[in-house]
Amino acid sequence: LSIGAITGSAAHVLIASVAEIQRLRPLLVLKVLEQSSDQLVVWLAERKIDLMIGRFTDETQRTQFQYERLSSEPLQVVAGVHHPLRGVADLDMAELSHWPWILYPASTAVRRVTDDIFGRNGLSLISGTVETPSFLFALEMMQTTDMLSLQPKALVERYFNRGLLTQIPIELPDRMPD
């Protein structure tokens, strides 16, 4: 069974599902591919994967596939635990626009939300940016630099609990599509 999953769900929904599938079908071979939704939808249409846990990137895809809503996916601004904004109260998006950011690629839902949050406030990112779909790369960058990133809460919560990342306290006006 080939399963494609976005990073946030791979850390949350998929882990429990795989454990249950293994319990019910111990001989079934599972192939799990982690990628952004835009690529997963292509693979699903091409039948390179059997199912995906992700989101539609275009409304027309809703008529192409059978789907089921699983959950919402709140986002959080995160940074390395050494970041100067850790614990700073009353931050706004203008302040955050002056810091370097790690961004998901432009074709992803997280990036569209990021661009919308800054654009809605008439802001653009002033400092350097790095684009990557890799959370592990982003994690390493945040631990060694003062870069910020917008990440799914389900993905980063365990890293907060382990003292590897910190949440930057700001209320976000948007959330990801379900």
Side-chain angles (χ1 to χ4, degrees), residues 36 103-112 131-133:
S36 59
L103 303 171
Y104 279 90
S107 60
T108 64
V110 176
R111 177 60 178 274
R112 285 193 295 272
E131 272 191 23
T132 182

Side-chain angles (χ1 to χ4, degrees), residues 100-104 130 132 137-138 141-142 147-151:
W101 279 77
I102 302 165
L103 303 171
Y104 279 90
V130 172
T132 182
F137 180 78
M141 288 297 295
M142 286 183 282
M147 297 186 89
L148 300 171
S149 188
L150 190 62
Q151 296 287 336

Side-chain angles (χ1 to χ4, degrees), residues 120-163:
R120 179 180 296 159
N121 291 294
L123 301 169
S124 59
L125 297 176
I126 295 169
S127 197
T129 60
V130 172
E131 272 191 23
T132 182
S134 170
F135 174 73
L136 291 178
F137 180 78
L139 174 65
E140 291 296 324
M141 288 297 295
M142 286 183 282
Q143 290 180 332
T144 58
T145 69
D146 285 340
M147 297 186 89
L148 300 171
S149 188
L150 190 62
Q151 296 287 336
K153 182 179 179 178
L155 176 62
V156 294
E157 208 151 33
R158 70 184 60 210
Y159 295 94
F160 296 155
N161 296 337
R162 293 179 183 159

